[in-house]
Amino acid sequence: MLLTAAWYTCSRPLARSSFIPRSSRILVTRCYASSTSSSNDSSSSNNKFRIAFFGTDDFAVKHLKSLIVEKGKPNSCIESIELICPPDRRTGRKLKDITPSPTKGLAELYGIPVHHTPPNAKSLEGWELPTDRGYDLGVVVSFGYFVPAPIIHGFKHGALNVHPSLLPKYRGAAPIQHTILAGDDETGVTIQELDDKAFDAGRILAQKKMSLNGITAPRYGELKEKLGDMGSRLLVDTLHNFDKCKANATIQDLAQVTSAPKIKKEWSEIDFEDMESWQVEQLHRAIGEQYPLRTVFTFTRIKPSKKIKQRHITMQLLNMYLPKDSPIYDMEAVTPGTFVYCPEEKALHICCADGNPVAITHIKAEGSTSIAARDFVNGYEIRNHTGQFGYFNEDEIQPGMSGVRVQKRRSEFNKTIRKRMGMRKEEFERLYNTKLSTRR
C-alpha cells in the first residue's frame, strides 16, 4: 500500500469517545455576557452599532441572519449592517458559471450593501474599507482572510470574531474537524476580540460549552450546524452586553493553546493496512464532507494477445459507517483492504488493520458519478462478492480474480452470440458478413 493518511501523524492521539446525541445538551454558559440578559438589562450597552460584517460561507450566513433579525427588533442594538466578502467565483464545467458567496446571496435578499475584497487577493494588506461609512464595529465569522491592524483600528469599538471552539483550544482554520478527530467530549463557541497580530489570539469576551457525551458519533456537518446556531445567539447576546463583556474580557492562557490547521486533501488517502476501523470512520466523520476518503482499486484487462493492461483507479468511499456485524468475521486470514459485499445492508464491508470492518453504501471512481455498492460489484468484475483494494503488480494478476476482465477474441464472441440466437454457424456467418458489407 502506498497511500497513508497524513493526519495520522498528528501529535494528539485519536480517541474512541467521540460521540454526540442528536439533541445535544448545552451546558451553562461560561461567558462574560449573561445568556439570559436582554436589551433592556440595566447592564446592557446603549450603543447602536453600525456593523461591518466579514464572512463568506454557510457558517457565516447563520450569524449574518441573526444580526439581520436583531436589527429589525424594536429594541435592537444594531443600527446598520454592511457585508464584506470575496468577489463572485467562476465555477462549473469550463468555469462558465458565476457563483456568489453564500453571505452575498443573503445580503442581496435583504438589501444589505456588499463590498468585495480585491479579486484573487492572498491578503488584505493595503486594502481599505470605504471611509465614509462610519462603522462602529467589525464582526468577523469564517472569513478566510487575516484582517490587518489598520482595518481593525478603523472601527470605533474594534472587531469581534466568532470561533467554533473553546479557545485557546483549537486555534486555526478547522476547529470543528479537529474536535472530532481528537474525540473530545465537549466543544463550544467563543466570542473574541480580533487580534491584529495573530489568528484567534484575542481576548475572550464570551464563551459557551456544548456537551458531546451520548451515543451518536458527531459528524462535521451536524456539529457545524449546532455550533452555528449557538454562536449566532451568543453573538447577539454579546452585542447587547458589549460594555460588560469588554470590561470582563480575559486573556487566553498560552499554556493551553492547541492548533487546528487547515484540512489537506492528502489526509483523505487511506491505507487499510495501517489504520484501524474506528480511526477510518472517525476521519470520515471529520473531513469526509470536505474531502471524501479515498483508496485505490486496481482494474485489469487481459487482452486476447495475453497482454495485461492495468488501471489504478482512485475510489472515493461514501456514506461510511461501522457495521454491527459483518461477513468478514466469518472469513479466515482476511488481509486489510479486502472487501465483501453484504446484500442485506447493500454495502461493501472493508477490512481494516485491526480486523474489523467499515462499511460503505456508495463509491465513486475518479472522474465519474457515484454508484451504489451493488453496481460497483457488478460493473468491476467482482467475483463471489469479494475483492481487494490496493495496488497489484502484473505478475500477481490471474484470470478469475476479482477486478480482472479477460477480453475474448472476435471468434469467441461470435460463437457465444450464435448460441444465444440459436443459429447454425453458416447461417450466422452469412448474416454477419451481410451486415458487415452494408456498413462499408
Side-chain angles (χ1 to χ4, degrees):
M1 283 289 185
L2 184 62
L3 303 177
T4 303
W7 68 273
Y8 201 45
T9 61
C10 291
S11 58
R12 294 187 305 280
L14 296 176
R16 291 179 181 266
S17 59
S18 53
F19 299 101
I20 182 172
R22 290 194 179 272
S23 55
S24 302
R25 180 171 62 92
I26 297 176
L27 300 182
V28 177
T29 308
R30 177 197 160 228
C31 63
Y32 314 102
S34 170
S35 60
T36 59
S37 63
S38 69
S39 58
N40 296 322
D41 195 315
S42 60
S43 63
S44 299
S45 170
N46 293 321
N47 294 319
K48 285 182 73 73
F49 298 105
R50 288 167 293 182
I51 292 176
F53 186 91
F54 299 74
T56 304
D57 62 12
D58 293 333
F59 187 76
V61 164
K62 280 185 171 291
H63 296 78
L64 179 58
K65 182 67 177 292
S66 70
L67 296 182
I68 293 171
V69 171
E70 171 61 27
K71 180 179 178 293
K73 293 181 178 179
N75 298 318
S76 172
C77 61
I78 299 174
E79 180 178 327
S80 65
I81 306 170
E82 297 188 12
L83 172 67
I84 294 88
C85 68
D88 301 347
R89 296 182 299 113
R90 290 193 171 272
T91 59
R93 188 179 295 273
K94 296 184 180 179
L95 302 178
K96 289 183 178 180
D97 301 327
I98 298 177
T99 305
S101 66
T103 49
K104 181 179 178 180
L106 180 66
E108 290 180 339
L109 182 64
Y110 285 91
I112 292 174
V114 176
H115 306 282
H116 289 144
T117 58
N120 303 317
K122 299 298 183 181
S123 73
L124 299 184
E125 290 293 337
W127 182 72
E128 296 180 354
L129 283 171
T131 56
D132 59 342
R133 301 293 182 171
Y135 301 116
D136 297 313
L137 182 68
V139 175
V140 182
V141 184
S142 195
F143 182 48
Y145 290 96
F146 181 79
V147 181
I151 294 178
I152 296 175
H153 299 319
F155 298 117
K156 180 179 177 182
H157 300 290
L160 307 181
N161 170 246
V162 181
H163 189 75
S165 80
L166 299 175
L167 289 174
K169 196 171 188 180
Y170 300 136
R171 290 182 178 181
I176 301 176
Q177 295 94 323
H178 284 273
T179 296
I180 297 172
L181 287 175
D184 288 352
D185 57 7
E186 72 172 5
T187 185
V189 176
T190 300
I191 309 293
Q192 60 167 333
E193 291 178 333
L194 206 62
D195 189 80
D196 61 4
K197 296 182 178 63
F199 277 113
D200 306 323
R203 296 193 305 165
I204 296 175
L205 302 181
Q207 198 168 75
K208 204 166 193 176
K209 293 182 179 179
M210 177 187 293
S211 173
L212 298 183
N213 290 320
I215 58 173
T216 305
R219 293 178 178 271
Y220 169 73
E222 297 171 357
L223 195 52
K224 179 182 176 181
E225 186 80 10
K226 292 177 183 291
L227 292 174
D229 291 336
M230 176 186 283
S232 60
R233 293 192 297 269
L234 187 60
L235 173 61
V236 172
D237 187 66
T238 302
L239 295 179
H240 275 298
N241 296 274
F242 187 75
D243 291 341
K244 180 179 177 181
C245 290
K246 293 281 279 190
N248 293 283
T250 60
I251 298 174
Q252 296 186 34
D253 183 359
L254 296 181
Q256 301 299 318
V257 171
T258 58
S259 63
K262 184 178 180 180
I263 301 301
K264 298 180 180 179
K265 186 176 181 179
E266 53 263 33
W267 294 14
S268 66
E269 297 170 356
I270 300 301
D271 187 341
F272 291 105
E273 294 184 349
D274 290 337
M275 299 177 65
E276 298 182 6
S277 58
W278 67 271
Q279 292 173 320
V280 175
E281 190 268 345
Q282 191 174 58
L283 182 63
H284 167 74
R285 288 188 285 107
I287 72 171
E289 291 186 29
Q290 185 177 358
Y291 296 118
L293 302 195
R294 301 175 294 156
T295 190
V296 169
F297 179 74
T298 301
F299 187 71
T300 305
R301 287 186 298 159
I302 301 179
K303 294 188 173 184
S305 62
K306 305 305 179 183
K307 183 178 179 181
I308 293 176
K309 188 173 183 179
Q310 290 184 312
R311 287 177 59 205
H312 300 295
I313 307 170
T314 299
M315 293 287 187
Q316 295 181 358
L317 310 178
L318 309 175
N319 300 343
M320 184 179 291
Y321 63 96
L322 293 175
K324 294 181 180 179
D325 197 8
S326 174
I328 282 180
Y329 294 135
D330 299 326
M331 301 169 64
E332 295 182 2
V334 183
T335 304
T338 298
F339 61 82
V340 180
Y341 178 69
C342 178
E344 293 79 13
E345 298 181 12
K346 297 180 179 178
L348 288 182
H349 290 207
I350 310 169
C351 183
C352 300
D354 57 354
N356 295 319
V358 293
I360 58 169
T361 63
H362 288 75
I363 191 167
K364 181 180 180 299
E366 188 176 35
S368 303
T369 58
S370 64
I371 59 175
R374 179 179 178 180
D375 295 331
F376 169 74
V377 170
N378 292 335
Y380 284 82
E381 307 287 341
I382 308 302
R383 295 172 175 81
N384 300 319
H385 288 181
T386 305
Q388 180 84 25
F389 286 118
Y391 288 91
F392 289 91
N393 297 321
E394 291 187 8
D395 55 1
E396 300 176 283
I397 300 300
Q398 296 294 332
M401 289 177 58
S402 286
V404 177
R405 176 177 294 167
V406 179
Q407 292 184 313
K408 297 180 179 179
R409 295 181 183 273
R410 171 56 63 181
S411 58
E412 295 179 63
F413 277 117
N414 290 349
K415 185 177 180 181
T416 302
I417 295 171
R418 179 170 57 82
K419 285 185 177 180
R420 289 179 181 176
M421 297 177 67
M423 299 176 67
R424 298 182 65 86
K425 182 177 180 181
E426 296 80 5
E427 182 184 3
F428 177 82
E429 287 181 351
R430 184 170 61 253
L431 177 63
Y432 177 77
N433 292 331
T434 302
K435 291 280 187 181
L436 197 62
S437 62
T438 57
R439 290 180 184 176
R440 293 172 182 170

